[in-house]
Amino acid sequence: MPINRRIFTQDAGIEGLLLHLDAQTYSGSGNWLDSSGNGHDATINGATFTTNGSSPNESYFDFDGSDDFMTIPQDTQFDFDVATTMQIWVNKDGTGREWVIEKANGGSGNYGWQLEHNDSASNYRFQMHNTSNAVATAEISTTTNTGDYTHIAVTHNGSNEFKIYLNGSLEDTATLSGTISKNTNGITIGKYSLSSGFEFDGRIAMVKFHLKTLSDSEVLSEYNSTKATFGL
């Protein structure tokens, strides 16, 4: 069941803020609290919080590529079946196929979606499944390097069109046929919940969801408003 159906307004004036996990505001203990006010707090399982006191003054959670992950309880608003935008700041240490964030389910017709690192191309891709298990893939073509912070945004226009952005720039568009698959699982950060061997190795500093399709200019604005934290 949904935790809360309220929708709040983001500081920059973008309506529909559903989730905002920002390591800059983490207390240092307990759950990673959702600052949107919607109560979608993340339970931390092993990921290590670190604050860098020098410049850039970033805070982040470090995932070891073995058994670190986080979970956010189920809410149908995370199904990506309506107009939605997801953003994440990530810094990879590994180069293999690794799951960054997902809402997956083991049953046929309910596989949901995932953002993963693609080892063959050394980049990231977003995949959405339909109820017949077909998949649409929006993929970043620009090579991303280990040790570099990267801002990734994924949008859905509410009509099965998905776009993926890298550091504020559009990289790819994909259209899904059929009906978007949904499931009753929550969000998992840092691993593939259905199988081992795809754990994320690197840092995650922010996760944000809007119940709105951000425009190209809004995605760029979101990137520009946060990049200085990571020395960019």
Side-chain angles (χ1 to χ4, degrees), residues 57-182:
N57 187 23
E58 86 273 19
S59 298
Y60 58 87
F61 286 91
D62 188 51
F63 294 74
D64 65 3
S66 176
D67 56 4
D68 293 349
F69 67 99
M70 299 181 184
T71 57
I72 300 172
Q74 152 72 355
D75 191 317
T76 58
Q77 294 179 110
F78 294 122
D79 283 336
F80 246 111
D81 60 330
V82 297
T84 304
T85 300
M86 176 180 69
Q87 302 174 64
I88 189 164
W89 273 101
V90 62
N91 184 335
K92 67 180 182 181
D93 292 326
T95 58
R97 189 181 183 192
E98 302 174 0
W99 258 244
V100 180
I101 185 170
E102 50 110 281
K103 190 176 187 295
N105 185 286
S108 178
N110 300 291
Y111 287 124
W113 57 264
Q114 73 259 2
L115 176 68
E116 62 177 89
H117 182 263
N118 178 8
D119 57 343
S120 63
S122 193
N123 57 22
Y124 297 89
R125 63 187 178 191
F126 177 84
Q127 293 187 318
M128 172 62 80
H129 297 81
N130 68 16
T131 53
S132 299
N133 304 324
V135 64
T137 301
E139 189 158 9
I140 291 172
S141 59
T142 302
T143 299
T144 55
N145 299 314
T146 57
D148 289 346
Y149 274 102
T150 298
H151 178 266
I152 300 169
V154 177
T155 67
H156 176 216
N157 70 349
S159 298
N160 288 21
E161 181 183 82
F162 297 87
K163 295 181 178 181
I164 192 166
Y165 297 77
L166 174 67
N167 294 337
S169 297
L170 178 63
E171 288 272 329
D172 194 19
T173 302
T175 300
L176 181 71
S177 62
T179 302
I180 288 174
S181 67
K182 297 180 283 186

Side-chain angles (χ1 to χ4, degrees), residues 152-229:
I152 300 169
V154 177
T155 67
H156 176 216
N157 70 349
S159 298
N160 288 21
E161 181 183 82
F162 297 87
K163 295 181 178 181
I164 192 166
Y165 297 77
L166 174 67
N167 294 337
S169 297
L170 178 63
E171 288 272 329
D172 194 19
T173 302
T175 300
L176 181 71
S177 62
T179 302
I180 288 174
S181 67
K182 297 180 283 186
N183 58 65
T184 58
N185 285 1
I187 287 177
T188 301
I189 302 171
K191 76 169 189 176
Y192 184 32
S193 61
L194 305 180
S195 179
S196 61
F198 303 101
E199 292 75 19
F200 179 67
D201 183 9
R203 304 173 182 181
I204 294 176
M206 185 205 76
V207 181
K208 187 184 286 190
F209 274 78
H210 285 88
L211 288 182
K212 176 185 177 181
T213 308
L214 268 61
S215 65
D216 291 357
S217 62
E218 287 174 323
V219 171
L220 180 59
S221 177
E222 287 283 286
Y223 166 68
N224 285 332
S225 69
T226 51
K227 67 181 183 180
T229 301

